Amino acid sequence: MDIQEVLTLADNLIFASTGKHLDHLQKAILEGTLQGQTYTKIAEDIHSSEGHIRDLGSEIWRIFSKEFGETVNKSNFRAILEKANFYNYSSAIGRDYVTVNNVNICSEVRGAQAQQRGQDRVCLDWGDAPEILTFYGRQEEENCLTEWMIKKCYRLITLLGISGVGKTSLALHCVEPIKSEFHTIIYRSLRFCPSLEEILTHCLEVFSESSIIPPTLDAKLTQLFKYLRQYRCLIILDDVQMLFAPQELAGCYQAGYENYRLFFKQIAEVSHQSCLMLLSSEKPREVAELELEHDTIFSLVLGSLGQASKQILRDQKLRDETEWNELIKRYEGHPLGLKLTAALIQEFFGGCVSEFLQCSPPILCEPLQFRLYQQLERLTTLEMKIINTLAHEDQPLNLSAINHNIQLSYPEFLKGLQSLNLRLFLKKFEQNNIKLFTLDPLLRHFLKHTISSE
């Protein structure tokens, strides 16, 4: 039997017993065992701790021992496979059972029952998560997040985008079909700035209702990481940008919230099998730094919804479909912007897109303006100088051209530019090996046609 045949059999055995298929770590342990690798080598290859890999291995051998009817361990696994009598194994893989040592393992019936038991064990705590009634597009982004969480087992994922672009909708929609891959899933919003101790307490209460919650922050962190190693968990923290101080450069925490920086850093650096997903309109500085050092951390920036935006307009029963591309372009495929604008067009223009597009200057509805105002209110004076310069330029500018109008020292100027980049306000291009910069188109539209006219 080759490795793939062994993995197929193992997957049937695990599924029949637990209702879950082999995950990334279990496959790595089995492949490494068949190749004669030590636990140390296996752990190194998949960026995990040796102790955690040993624990997972013990669980695999326990399941196999039960199904084979004899003791199975890392040392004798290959020998047991070689001496086992696999009747018509290869032809049985496509059926509803696999025969192992004259015992039929009915993967469909037993597996369905075990899967139901497994699903019952998944603990879902959505907290104050919004209900997702409609969802548009984002298939590529969803596939990317799923691969990062399930196949690559990344420890820290940051989902970024300006307000209203659909971060929360994507995260919750993405998790729904893969929730059985996790032991526990927790969602919490940080919009009202809970302390790290409050968040940890909530998580620990979900993980084990019967356990006593430790009184100190250090002890809570220790207990949390124990669960993150023992179980595969997903924690989603939304509105992370609310932890940062307004009128300060991007990523500067409010007083009393600095320990979140250490928590995110620990999530990235400490070995465990779980995932923390951060949703934010502002990239934490420590995430930007950690991405340079660790391959278990990745960020995804949400941009235009693209052609999937047309379904929003279709749902609102707008007319003049030939003009829809222009409307989508004007609002940069921003989901909330298009939903609000489509409702406005329906209410005041009878659904006629061409009539709406004739308005000058272009209209931004009040709810969208309010969201953009909120983001601008967080900026420093330095950042406002830079974006006001970029807002009135039709073409992207290089660094010298931008700073020519501002007249700052380059260290100060670059500090403001880096901050705007963390806030996702900038769009970058390269031309003849020279970096060019402009504003996010929706923000530029807002600054140029709304604020400047006030």
Side-chain angles (χ1 to χ4, degrees):
M1 298 177 65
D2 62 21
I3 289 180
Q4 190 54 53
E5 285 180 319
V6 173
L7 291 178
T8 303
L9 171 62
D11 187 63
N12 276 282
L13 287 166
I14 295 292
F15 185 73
S17 178
T18 68
K20 295 183 179 181
H21 291 286
L22 285 174
D23 62 26
H24 168 71
L25 294 180
Q26 290 170 324
K27 287 181 181 178
I29 292 169
L30 291 176
E31 289 178 359
T33 297
L34 291 171
Q35 293 166 1
Q37 294 180 349
T38 64
Y39 279 131
T40 302
K41 174 61 175 172
I42 296 171
E44 287 177 356
D45 289 346
I46 58 177
H47 310 289
S48 186
S49 69
E50 182 179 345
H52 180 53
I53 295 303
R54 286 183 180 277
D55 290 343
L56 287 178
S58 296
E59 179 62 16
I60 294 172
W61 312 137
R62 183 190 66 77
I63 294 171
F64 284 178
S65 296
K66 178 182 176 183
E67 298 294 343
F68 278 71
E70 60 180 300
T71 301
V72 178
N73 54 45
K74 189 175 185 296
S75 301
N76 67 10
F77 180 53
R78 177 188 287 274
I80 286 179
L81 287 180
E82 289 175 349
K83 74 176 183 179
N85 186 10
F86 292 92
Y87 290 104
N88 299 319
Y89 170 75
S90 59
S91 62
I93 289 179
R95 305 178 192 169
D96 61 354
Y97 67 90
V98 175
T99 303
V100 180
N101 290 348
N102 294 321
V103 177
N104 286 340
I105 299 174
C106 182
S107 58
E108 187 172 309
V109 178
R110 287 184 59 196
Q113 295 171 346
Q115 185 177 38
Q116 182 61 48
R117 294 195 302 272
Q119 288 176 341
D120 291 342
R121 289 197 297 270
V122 177
C123 178
L124 301 174
D125 189 318
W126 292 118
D128 53 352
E131 183 180 7
I132 307 303
L133 299 176
T134 57
F135 185 79
Y136 303 95
R138 300 291 190 202
Q139 189 61 57
E140 184 177 343
E141 294 92 337
E142 185 173 345
N143 291 342
C144 188
L145 289 174
T146 299
E147 181 179 4
W148 290 357
M149 286 188 285
I150 303 305
K151 293 183 180 178
K152 296 190 176 180
C153 299
Y154 290 157
R155 297 173 190 161
L156 180 62
I157 297 172
T158 311
L159 186 56
L160 302 164
I162 64 173
S163 179
V165 79
K167 300 181 293 295
T168 305
S169 295
L170 174 59
L172 298 180
H173 185 269
C174 177
V175 168
E176 183 61 29
I178 60 172
K179 60 187 179 184
S180 62
E181 295 286 338
F182 297 96
H183 177 277
T184 304
I185 300 175
I186 299 172
Y187 170 95
R188 287 291 182 273
S189 171
L190 306 182
R191 71 172 66 91
F192 297 119
C193 299
S195 68
L196 178 59
E197 288 208 39
E198 290 178 75
I199 289 295
L200 294 180
T201 297
H202 288 319
C203 289
L204 293 176
E205 288 172 345
V206 172
F207 284 132
S208 181
E209 296 179 0
S210 61
S211 294
I212 298 174
I213 308 299
T216 66
L217 178 59
D218 282 348
K220 287 176 182 176
L221 282 169
T222 298
Q223 188 166 322
L224 177 73
F225 277 101
K226 177 183 176 182
Y227 286 120
L228 298 185
R229 291 189 191 96
Q230 186 175 359
Y231 305 108
R232 196 171 192 193
C233 308
L234 172 64
I235 301 174
I236 302 173
L237 297 183
D238 203 347
D239 298 304
V240 173
Q241 74 278 352
M242 299 307 294
L243 301 176
F244 305 131
Q247 285 86 54
E248 297 283 351
L249 293 175
C252 292
Y253 286 88
Q254 297 185 57
Y257 293 89
E258 298 87 351
N259 47 23
Y260 272 99
R261 176 192 297 275
L262 300 177
F263 174 54
F264 298 156
K265 186 174 170 61
Q266 273 191 290
I267 286 288
E269 295 179 338
V270 173
S271 178
H272 58 83
Q273 62 170 327
S274 298
C275 178
L276 173 65
M277 184 185 294
L278 306 179
L279 278 53
S280 181
S281 61
E282 192 170 312
K283 190 173 188 176
R285 291 184 182 183
E286 60 275 16
V287 170
E289 295 166 3
L290 288 165
E291 283 177 327
L292 301 175
E293 304 172 6
H294 300 275
D295 58 3
T296 57
I297 305 169
F298 277 85
S299 298
L300 178 64
V301 180
L302 291 191
S304 170
L305 194 56
Q307 289 301 301
S309 304
K310 290 186 177 180
Q311 189 58 48
I312 297 176
L313 310 183
R314 201 168 285 118
D315 288 349
Q316 289 289 336
K317 298 179 172 56
L318 296 191
R319 296 189 280 126
D320 306 327
E321 191 166 346
T322 56
E323 302 291 336
W324 286 6
N325 283 334
E326 179 59 32
L327 184 65
I328 292 169
K329 180 181 177 182
R330 179 173 292 186
Y331 291 89
E332 285 298 309
H334 186 277
L336 180 63
L338 285 170
K339 284 181 184 178
L340 295 171
T341 302
L344 184 146
I345 294 172
Q346 190 60 255
E347 184 173 1
F348 294 102
F349 295 86
C352 182
V353 175
S354 57
E355 185 179 345
F356 173 79
L357 291 174
Q358 291 173 11
C359 297
S360 182
I363 298 172
L364 283 180
C365 53
E366 287 296 327
L368 184 57
Q369 288 189 40
F370 177 71
R371 283 175 175 257
L372 294 173
Y373 266 124
Q374 284 184 311
Q375 291 187 263
L376 290 175
E377 286 176 346
R378 301 181 63 83
L379 300 187
T380 62
T381 302
L382 168 62
E383 291 171 296
M384 284 301 300
K385 287 181 180 179
I386 296 174
I387 67 169
N388 280 328
T389 295
L390 291 172
H392 293 87
E393 295 291 340
D394 293 328
Q395 299 297 323
L397 302 177
N398 62 27
L399 293 179
S400 298
I402 300 171
N403 200 30
H404 176 74
N405 296 323
I406 305 174
Q407 298 295 311
L408 293 170
S409 68
Y410 256 96
E412 189 73 5
F413 169 60
L414 288 175
K415 189 187 298 182
L417 209 63
Q418 285 178 315
S419 184
L420 288 171
N421 191 47
L422 290 175
R423 297 187 200 274
L424 314 175
F425 280 7
L426 296 180
K427 295 290 183 183
K428 292 173 282 188
F429 306 90
E430 190 164 320
Q431 190 176 82
N432 299 324
N433 295 322
I434 297 175
K435 286 284 187 181
L436 302 176
F437 301 85
T438 187
L439 285 183
D440 173 87
L442 189 64
L443 182 64
R444 180 173 175 274
H445 173 79
F446 175 61
L447 286 164
K448 187 174 182 179
H449 297 291
T450 307
I451 290 186
S452 60
S453 63
E454 294 179 352

